[in-house]
Amino acid sequence: MATPVNLKQKRLAIVVSSLLALGAAAGSISANAQTTPAAAGVPGPVGPAGPAGPAARPDAAAPKPFAEIIKEAKLIPGYFNLYQKDEKVWVEIKPEQFNSPFFFQMNSTRGLGEVRFRSNSMLGGHIAELKKLGNNVQLIAKNHRFTAKAGSAIERALKESFTDSLLAVTAVASAPHPERKSILIDANALLLADIPGMATRLETAFRIPYAYDAR
């Protein structure tokens, strides 16, 4: 009498066999590539210590020098120094300005004339901080509405219940300044986003999808 065949097990066996066959083929190709001598007149692969190895190549992902980025840019001094060139704006952040609170306010300079979308509307403000995390800079809205005694159990519970909010993030744009040790970030990438959530408000009001054009 024929034994019933479990189709799921049969399919699994076929898949496993196929994967093993592919792995064996890949191992064979890799072994052949390592053992095949270089043809006459054709240089073989160069290792890390060779002239074409990673040690001899400049890091393409490394930030550009501070002076190179702001070359021919207009300085706009302020609490955060700004540098503008054409449509690009960079923000200079000094070491002491990280993890230091400041007031971050969002306003609308244009209106629609209806459904409460008015010009010069205040769209909300935050006590914010800039935090450097690796090669990224985060704009964080701090929780300042609820507080507790430092070191208390209530403070620990409060930090878990009322967390800070990440508003935006961007990569570090420059190497540190040789003297001030400050760095540059791209203001376009950090701030030209729908931080106040206007697209959601417009969709709620007009029942039509909206998207923010950062350009």
Side-chain angles (χ1 to χ4, degrees):
M1 183 175 65
T3 304
V5 178
N6 189 319
L7 293 180
K8 291 185 179 180
Q9 293 179 351
K10 184 176 180 181
R11 291 171 184 155
L12 179 60
I14 293 173
V15 172
V16 172
S17 300
S18 302
L19 291 175
L20 291 175
L22 289 173
S28 176
I29 293 172
S30 176
N32 290 336
Q34 293 175 0
T35 57
T36 302
V42 179
V46 180
R57 289 198 306 264
D59 189 357
K64 296 181 179 180
F66 192 102
E68 180 180 338
I69 294 179
I70 65 170
K71 184 179 180 181
E72 299 180 355
K74 176 185 176 182
L75 169 63
I76 305 174
Y79 179 76
F80 293 107
N81 289 332
L82 305 180
Y83 298 88
Q84 181 180 7
K85 182 166 60 176
D86 299 327
E87 76 282 0
K88 296 284 291 183
V89 177
W90 293 274
V91 183
E92 179 181 2
I93 308 175
K94 302 173 184 178
E96 62 270 19
Q97 291 178 320
F98 283 108
N99 304 312
S100 179
F102 61 94
F103 186 65
F104 179 75
Q105 174 66 41
M106 297 170 289
N107 297 331
S108 172
T109 59
R110 298 291 186 273
L112 298 179
E114 58 179 339
V115 201
R116 300 181 66 182
F117 288 97
R118 306 183 183 94
S119 61
N120 298 317
S121 296
M122 300 181 69
L123 303 179
H126 303 281
I127 301 298
E129 289 183 2
L130 291 170
K131 180 179 180 181
K132 190 173 184 294
L133 187 63
N135 197 42
N136 293 322
V137 173
Q138 299 175 331
L139 175 62
I140 298 178
K142 303 293 293 183
N143 165 41
H144 62 90
R145 297 176 180 270
F146 303 93
T147 60
K149 184 179 179 180
S152 64
I154 296 180
E155 184 194 35
R156 294 194 298 271
L158 185 146
K159 289 182 178 180
E160 295 179 358
S161 301
F162 301 93
T163 61
D164 300 333
S165 299
L166 178 64
L167 298 179
V169 62
T170 187
V172 175
S174 76
H177 189 278
E179 298 175 358
R180 298 191 296 270
K181 305 303 179 183
S182 54
I183 55 98
L184 294 172
I185 61 172
D186 187 346
N188 300 44
L190 184 72
L191 301 177
L192 294 189
D194 192 9
I195 296 178
M198 289 300 297
T200 302
R201 300 187 187 188
L202 289 167
E203 290 178 11
T204 302
F206 296 103
R207 307 295 181 181
I208 302 175
Y210 287 87
Y212 190 87
D213 186 359
R215 295 173 298 178

